[in-house]
mmCIF file of all heavy atoms in Angstrom:
data_model
loop_
_atom_site.group_PDB
_atom_site.id
_atom_site.type_symbol
_atom_site.label_atom_id
_atom_site.label_comp_id
_atom_site.label_asym_id
_atom_site.label_seq_id
_atom_site.Cartn_x
_atom_site.Cartn_y
_atom_site.Cartn_z
ATOM 1 N N PRO U 15 -124.809 70.175 -7.514
ATOM 2 C CA PRO U 15 -123.723 71.099 -7.183
ATOM 3 C C PRO U 15 -122.713 70.484 -6.215
ATOM 4 O O PRO U 15 -123.089 69.912 -5.193
ATOM 5 C CB PRO U 15 -124.455 72.276 -6.541
ATOM 6 C CG PRO U 15 -125.818 72.244 -7.140
ATOM 7 C CD PRO U 15 -126.129 70.783 -7.301
ATOM 8 N N GLY U 16 -121.438 70.592 -6.561
ATOM 9 C CA GLY U 16 -120.374 70.100 -5.709
ATOM 10 C C GLY U 16 -120.184 68.602 -5.702
ATOM 11 O O GLY U 16 -119.393 68.093 -4.901
ATOM 12 N N LYS U 17 -120.876 67.886 -6.573
ATOM 13 C CA LYS U 17 -120.789 66.435 -6.590
ATOM 14 C C LYS U 17 -120.375 65.923 -7.961
ATOM 15 O O LYS U 17 -120.452 66.637 -8.961
ATOM 16 C CB LYS U 17 -122.127 65.813 -6.183
ATOM 17 C CG LYS U 17 -122.548 66.127 -4.754
ATOM 18 C CD LYS U 17 -123.792 65.374 -4.356
ATOM 19 C CE LYS U 17 -124.151 65.648 -2.908
ATOM 20 N NZ LYS U 17 -125.353 64.901 -2.487
ATOM 21 N N GLU U 18 -119.927 64.674 -7.991
ATOM 22 C CA GLU U 18 -119.541 64.037 -9.234
ATOM 23 C C GLU U 18 -120.765 63.696 -10.071
ATOM 24 O O GLU U 18 -121.865 63.485 -9.548
ATOM 25 C CB GLU U 18 -118.742 62.767 -8.948
ATOM 26 C CG GLU U 18 -117.401 62.994 -8.270
ATOM 27 C CD GLU U 18 -116.383 63.601 -9.207
ATOM 28 O OE1 GLU U 18 -116.389 63.249 -10.398
ATOM 29 O OE2 GLU U 18 -115.580 64.418 -8.748
ATOM 30 N N ARG U 19 -120.551 63.636 -11.371
ATOM 31 C CA ARG U 19 -121.606 63.181 -12.260
ATOM 32 C C ARG U 19 -121.893 61.707 -11.977
ATOM 33 O O ARG U 19 -120.970 60.893 -11.875
ATOM 34 C CB ARG U 19 -121.187 63.380 -13.714
ATOM 35 C CG ARG U 19 -122.288 63.151 -14.725
ATOM 36 C CD ARG U 19 -121.887 63.667 -16.103
ATOM 37 N NE ARG U 19 -121.617 65.094 -16.083
ATOM 38 C CZ ARG U 19 -121.340 65.811 -17.165
ATOM 39 N NH1 ARG U 19 -121.295 65.240 -18.358
ATOM 40 N NH2 ARG U 19 -121.092 67.109 -17.053
ATOM 41 N N GLU U 20 -123.167 61.353 -11.866
ATOM 42 C CA GLU U 20 -123.527 60.005 -11.481
ATOM 43 C C GLU U 20 -124.512 59.377 -12.452
ATOM 44 O O GLU U 20 -125.314 60.054 -13.104
ATOM 45 C CB GLU U 20 -124.097 59.967 -10.058
ATOM 46 C CG GLU U 20 -125.429 60.671 -9.902
ATOM 47 C CD GLU U 20 -126.007 60.540 -8.500
ATOM 48 O OE1 GLU U 20 -125.355 59.922 -7.628
ATOM 49 O OE2 GLU U 20 -127.118 61.053 -8.271
ATOM 50 N N PHE U 21 -124.446 58.079 -12.505
ATOM 51 C CA PHE U 21 -125.321 57.261 -13.329
ATOM 52 C C PHE U 21 -126.765 57.368 -12.856
ATOM 53 O O PHE U 21 -127.042 57.341 -11.653
ATOM 54 C CB PHE U 21 -124.830 55.813 -13.244
ATOM 55 C CG PHE U 21 -125.843 54.771 -13.590
ATOM 56 C CD1 PHE U 21 -126.249 54.575 -14.898
ATOM 57 C CD2 PHE U 21 -126.359 53.957 -12.603
ATOM 58 C CE1 PHE U 21 -127.162 53.591 -15.216
ATOM 59 C CE2 PHE U 21 -127.276 52.968 -12.906
ATOM 60 C CZ PHE U 21 -127.677 52.788 -14.217
ATOM 61 N N VAL U 22 -127.681 57.479 -13.806
ATOM 62 C CA VAL U 22 -129.114 57.448 -13.526
ATOM 63 C C VAL U 22 -129.769 56.240 -14.187
ATOM 64 O O VAL U 22 -130.421 55.436 -13.526
ATOM 65 C CB VAL U 22 -129.813 58.739 -13.985
ATOM 66 C CG1 VAL U 22 -131.320 58.637 -13.776
ATOM 67 C CG2 VAL U 22 -129.247 59.947 -13.245
ATOM 68 N N ALA U 23 -129.594 56.114 -15.503
ATOM 69 C CA ALA U 23 -130.228 55.032 -16.237
ATOM 70 C C ALA U 23 -129.536 54.852 -17.573
ATOM 71 O O ALA U 23 -128.973 55.797 -18.129
ATOM 72 C CB ALA U 23 -131.718 55.307 -16.462
ATOM 73 N N THR U 24 -129.578 53.635 -18.110
ATOM 74 C CA THR U 24 -129.037 53.348 -19.433
ATOM 75 C C THR U 24 -129.962 52.386 -20.166
ATOM 76 O O THR U 24 -130.734 51.661 -19.548
ATOM 77 C CB THR U 24 -127.640 52.712 -19.379
ATOM 78 O OG1 THR U 24 -127.676 51.518 -18.598
ATOM 79 C CG2 THR U 24 -126.611 53.674 -18.792
ATOM 80 N N CYS U 25 -129.855 52.378 -21.486
ATOM 81 C CA CYS U 25 -130.506 51.356 -22.293
ATOM 82 C C CYS U 25 -129.633 51.042 -23.495
ATOM 83 O O CYS U 25 -128.819 51.852 -23.924
ATOM 84 C CB CYS U 25 -131.919 51.767 -22.713
ATOM 85 S SG CYS U 25 -132.017 53.140 -23.866
ATOM 86 N N ASN U 26 -129.828 49.852 -24.037
ATOM 87 C CA ASN U 26 -129.023 49.433 -25.170
ATOM 88 C C ASN U 26 -129.549 50.032 -26.468
ATOM 89 O O ASN U 26 -130.444 50.873 -26.466
ATOM 90 C CB ASN U 26 -128.934 47.906 -25.229
ATOM 91 C CG ASN U 26 -130.252 47.239 -25.583
ATOM 92 O OD1 ASN U 26 -131.290 47.882 -25.696
ATOM 93 N ND2 ASN U 26 -130.201 45.920 -25.765
ATOM 94 N N MET U 27 -128.993 49.583 -27.582
ATOM 95 C CA MET U 27 -129.284 50.203 -28.874
ATOM 96 C C MET U 27 -130.754 50.115 -29.268
ATOM 97 O O MET U 27 -131.282 51.032 -29.899
ATOM 98 C CB MET U 27 -128.411 49.571 -29.963
ATOM 99 C CG MET U 27 -126.925 49.815 -29.765
ATOM 100 S SD MET U 27 -125.876 48.805 -30.841
ATOM 101 C CE MET U 27 -126.311 49.441 -32.448
ATOM 102 N N SER U 28 -131.398 49.028 -28.906
ATOM 103 C CA SER U 28 -132.803 48.846 -29.240
ATOM 104 C C SER U 28 -133.748 49.376 -28.170
ATOM 105 O O SER U 28 -134.941 49.542 -28.431
ATOM 106 C CB SER U 28 -133.102 47.368 -29.474
ATOM 107 O OG SER U 28 -132.973 46.634 -28.271
ATOM 108 N N GLY U 29 -133.225 49.626 -26.972
ATOM 109 C CA GLY U 29 -134.052 49.996 -25.843
ATOM 110 C C GLY U 29 -134.609 48.817 -25.078
ATOM 111 O O GLY U 29 -135.310 49.010 -24.081
ATOM 112 N N TYR U 30 -134.296 47.612 -25.502
ATOM 113 C CA TYR U 30 -134.837 46.419 -24.880
ATOM 114 C C TYR U 30 -134.290 46.202 -23.471
ATOM 115 O O TYR U 30 -135.040 45.827 -22.565
ATOM 116 C CB TYR U 30 -134.538 45.199 -25.753
ATOM 117 C CG TYR U 30 -135.021 43.892 -25.178
ATOM 118 C CD1 TYR U 30 -136.360 43.531 -25.250
ATOM 119 C CD2 TYR U 30 -134.128 43.005 -24.580
ATOM 120 C CE1 TYR U 30 -136.802 42.327 -24.731
ATOM 121 C CE2 TYR U 30 -134.559 41.806 -24.057
ATOM 122 C CZ TYR U 30 -135.897 41.467 -24.130
ATOM 123 O OH TYR U 30 -136.334 40.270 -23.609
ATOM 124 N N SER U 31 -132.986 46.415 -23.291
ATOM 125 C CA SER U 31 -132.356 46.210 -21.990
ATOM 126 C C SER U 31 -132.134 47.551 -21.312
ATOM 127 O O SER U 31 -131.580 48.473 -21.909
ATOM 128 C CB SER U 31 -131.027 45.481 -22.146
ATOM 129 O OG SER U 31 -131.218 44.179 -22.673
ATOM 130 N N THR U 32 -132.565 47.646 -20.071
ATOM 131 C CA THR U 32 -132.437 48.885 -19.319
ATOM 132 C C THR U 32 -131.814 48.616 -17.964
ATOM 133 O O THR U 32 -131.855 47.501 -17.443
ATOM 134 C CB THR U 32 -133.797 49.572 -19.127
ATOM 135 O OG1 THR U 32 -134.675 48.691 -18.405
ATOM 136 C CG2 THR U 32 -134.427 49.910 -20.469
ATOM 137 N N ALA U 33 -131.231 49.648 -17.387
ATOM 138 C CA ALA U 33 -130.654 49.563 -16.058
ATOM 139 C C ALA U 33 -130.852 50.892 -15.353
ATOM 140 O O ALA U 33 -130.871 51.948 -15.993
ATOM 141 C CB ALA U 33 -129.168 49.212 -16.134
ATOM 142 N N TYR U 34 -130.980 50.827 -14.025
ATOM 143 C CA TYR U 34 -131.262 52.016 -13.239
ATOM 144 C C TYR U 34 -130.419 52.048 -11.979
ATOM 145 O O TYR U 34 -130.110 51.012 -11.390
ATOM 146 C CB TYR U 34 -132.738 52.057 -12.828
ATOM 147 C CG TYR U 34 -133.692 52.101 -13.989
ATOM 148 C CD1 TYR U 34 -134.208 50.926 -14.530
ATOM 149 C CD2 TYR U 34 -134.080 53.311 -14.546
ATOM 150 C CE1 TYR U 34 -135.080 50.962 -15.603
ATOM 151 C CE2 TYR U 34 -134.952 53.353 -15.621
ATOM 152 C CZ TYR U 34 -135.454 52.176 -16.145
ATOM 153 O OH TYR U 34 -136.317 52.220 -17.211
ATOM 154 N N ALA U 35 -130.076 53.252 -11.567
ATOM 155 C CA ALA U 35 -129.478 53.423 -10.258
ATOM 156 C C ALA U 35 -130.497 53.054 -9.187
ATOM 157 O O ALA U 35 -131.704 53.254 -9.355
ATOM 158 C CB ALA U 35 -129.017 54.866 -10.070
ATOM 159 N N ASP U 36 -129.998 52.520 -8.076
ATOM 160 C CA ASP U 36 -130.897 52.132 -6.996
ATOM 161 C C ASP U 36 -131.743 53.305 -6.506
ATOM 162 O O ASP U 36 -132.895 53.124 -6.105
ATOM 163 C CB ASP U 36 -130.097 51.549 -5.830
ATOM 164 C CG ASP U 36 -129.534 50.176 -6.128
ATOM 165 O OD1 ASP U 36 -130.005 49.518 -7.073
ATOM 166 O OD2 ASP U 36 -128.613 49.756 -5.397
ATOM 167 N N SER U 37 -131.184 54.487 -6.555
ATOM 168 C CA SER U 37 -131.873 55.658 -6.039
ATOM 169 C C SER U 37 -133.093 56.065 -6.864
ATOM 170 O O SER U 37 -133.956 56.793 -6.371
ATOM 171 C CB SER U 37 -130.906 56.841 -5.946
ATOM 172 O OG SER U 37 -130.366 57.156 -7.218
ATOM 173 N N VAL U 38 -133.170 55.607 -8.121
ATOM 174 C CA VAL U 38 -134.284 55.994 -8.986
ATOM 175 C C VAL U 38 -135.119 54.814 -9.439
ATOM 176 O O VAL U 38 -136.180 55.015 -10.058
ATOM 177 C CB VAL U 38 -133.797 56.782 -10.216
ATOM 178 C CG1 VAL U 38 -132.942 57.963 -9.797
ATOM 179 C CG2 VAL U 38 -133.043 55.882 -11.190
ATOM 180 N N LYS U 39 -134.686 53.605 -9.150
ATOM 181 C CA LYS U 39 -135.399 52.417 -9.604
ATOM 182 C C LYS U 39 -136.829 52.423 -9.077
ATOM 183 O O LYS U 39 -137.070 52.666 -7.897
ATOM 184 C CB LYS U 39 -134.663 51.159 -9.151
ATOM 185 C CG LYS U 39 -135.218 49.879 -9.740
ATOM 186 C CD LYS U 39 -134.365 48.684 -9.346
ATOM 187 C CE LYS U 39 -134.868 47.404 -9.977
ATOM 188 N NZ LYS U 39 -134.027 46.240 -9.603
ATOM 189 N N GLY U 40 -137.767 52.146 -9.969
ATOM 190 C CA GLY U 40 -139.172 52.165 -9.610
ATOM 191 C C GLY U 40 -139.836 53.511 -9.785
ATOM 192 O O GLY U 40 -141.069 53.590 -9.748
ATOM 193 N N ARG U 41 -139.045 54.560 -9.965
ATOM 194 C CA ARG U 41 -139.584 55.902 -10.152
ATOM 195 C C ARG U 41 -139.309 56.458 -11.544
ATOM 196 O O ARG U 41 -140.124 57.201 -12.081
ATOM 197 C CB ARG U 41 -139.007 56.864 -9.113
ATOM 198 C CG ARG U 41 -139.307 56.467 -7.673
ATOM 199 C CD ARG U 41 -138.875 57.557 -6.692
ATOM 200 N NE ARG U 41 -137.433 57.771 -6.713
ATOM 201 C CZ ARG U 41 -136.850 58.926 -7.030
ATOM 202 N NH1 ARG U 41 -137.588 59.986 -7.349
ATOM 203 N NH2 ARG U 41 -135.525 59.035 -7.005
ATOM 204 N N PHE U 42 -138.155 56.111 -12.114
ATOM 205 C CA PHE U 42 -137.751 56.623 -13.420
ATOM 206 C C PHE U 42 -137.843 55.518 -14.463
ATOM 207 O O PHE U 42 -137.636 54.338 -14.155
ATOM 208 C CB PHE U 42 -136.306 57.135 -13.388
ATOM 209 C CG PHE U 42 -136.082 58.388 -12.587
ATOM 210 C CD1 PHE U 42 -137.058 58.919 -11.758
ATOM 211 C CD2 PHE U 42 -134.863 59.039 -12.670
ATOM 212 C CE1 PHE U 42 -136.835 60.073 -11.023
ATOM 213 C CE2 PHE U 42 -134.623 60.193 -11.944
ATOM 214 C CZ PHE U 42 -135.608 60.708 -11.120
ATOM 215 N N THR U 43 -138.103 55.909 -15.706
ATOM 216 C CA THR U 43 -138.144 54.978 -16.819
ATOM 217 C C THR U 43 -137.395 55.564 -18.007
ATOM 218 O O THR U 43 -137.711 56.665 -18.464
ATOM 219 C CB THR U 43 -139.591 54.653 -17.242
ATOM 220 O OG1 THR U 43 -140.313 54.122 -16.128
ATOM 221 C CG2 THR U 43 -139.593 53.626 -18.374
ATOM 222 N N ILE U 44 -136.409 54.827 -18.499
ATOM 223 C CA ILE U 44 -135.684 55.241 -19.689
ATOM 224 C C ILE U 44 -136.299 54.551 -20.905
ATOM 225 O O ILE U 44 -136.683 53.377 -20.845
ATOM 226 C CB ILE U 44 -134.180 54.924 -19.564
ATOM 227 C CG1 ILE U 44 -133.399 55.514 -20.743
ATOM 228 C CG2 ILE U 44 -133.926 53.434 -19.423
ATOM 229 C CD1 ILE U 44 -131.886 55.418 -20.580
ATOM 230 N N SER U 45 -136.401 55.273 -22.002
ATOM 231 C CA SER U 45 -136.937 54.705 -23.228
ATOM 232 C C SER U 45 -136.363 55.453 -24.419
ATOM 233 O O SER U 45 -135.706 56.490 -24.263
ATOM 234 C CB SER U 45 -138.474 54.755 -23.242
ATOM 235 O OG SER U 45 -138.936 56.090 -23.205
ATOM 236 N N ARG U 46 -136.611 54.926 -25.594
ATOM 237 C CA ARG U 46 -136.140 55.593 -26.799
ATOM 238 C C ARG U 46 -137.071 55.295 -27.955
ATOM 239 O O ARG U 46 -137.715 54.236 -28.014
ATOM 240 C CB ARG U 46 -134.701 55.170 -27.131
ATOM 241 C CG ARG U 46 -134.548 53.690 -27.459
ATOM 242 C CD ARG U 46 -133.082 53.269 -27.434
ATOM 243 N NE ARG U 46 -132.295 53.958 -28.444
ATOM 244 C CZ ARG U 46 -130.962 54.029 -28.454
ATOM 245 N NH1 ARG U 46 -130.262 53.462 -27.473
ATOM 246 N NH2 ARG U 46 -130.334 54.674 -29.421
ATOM 247 N N ASP U 47 -137.136 56.229 -28.876
ATOM 248 C CA ASP U 47 -137.883 56.072 -30.115
ATOM 249 C C ASP U 47 -136.891 56.330 -31.234
ATOM 250 O O ASP U 47 -136.633 57.473 -31.606
ATOM 251 C CB ASP U 47 -139.055 57.040 -30.169
ATOM 252 C CG ASP U 47 -139.956 56.804 -31.364
ATOM 253 O OD1 ASP U 47 -139.515 56.173 -32.342
ATOM 254 O OD2 ASP U 47 -141.119 57.262 -31.325
ATOM 255 N N ASN U 48 -136.313 55.258 -31.752
ATOM 256 C CA ASN U 48 -135.267 55.405 -32.758
ATOM 257 C C ASN U 48 -135.791 56.020 -34.057
ATOM 258 O O ASN U 48 -135.040 56.685 -34.772
ATOM 259 C CB ASN U 48 -134.609 54.054 -33.041
ATOM 260 C CG ASN U 48 -133.720 53.598 -31.902
ATOM 261 O OD1 ASN U 48 -133.244 54.409 -31.110
ATOM 262 N ND2 ASN U 48 -133.495 52.300 -31.811
ATOM 263 N N ALA U 49 -137.058 55.802 -34.364
ATOM 264 C CA ALA U 49 -137.644 56.399 -35.555
ATOM 265 C C ALA U 49 -137.672 57.921 -35.457
ATOM 266 O O ALA U 49 -137.644 58.608 -36.476
ATOM 267 C CB ALA U 49 -139.053 55.864 -35.792
ATOM 268 N N LYS U 50 -137.739 58.444 -34.238
ATOM 269 C CA LYS U 50 -137.746 59.881 -34.012
ATOM 270 C C LYS U 50 -136.395 60.410 -33.555
ATOM 271 O O LYS U 50 -136.268 61.605 -33.260
ATOM 272 C CB LYS U 50 -138.811 60.251 -32.987
ATOM 273 C CG LYS U 50 -140.236 59.963 -33.434
ATOM 274 C CD LYS U 50 -141.241 60.420 -32.389
ATOM 275 C CE LYS U 50 -142.657 60.192 -32.858
ATOM 276 N NZ LYS U 50 -143.654 60.641 -31.854
#
C-alpha cells in the first residue's frame, strides 16, 4: 500500500536463469513448469 510496484524475481523462457531482489534472495524461489 502506498508504494511502487517492485521487482521480486524473474526467470527466462526455460527457467534456467533466475534473478532475485536482494530483499528476497535466499528465501524465495522462482520456477516454472512449461508443460503445465
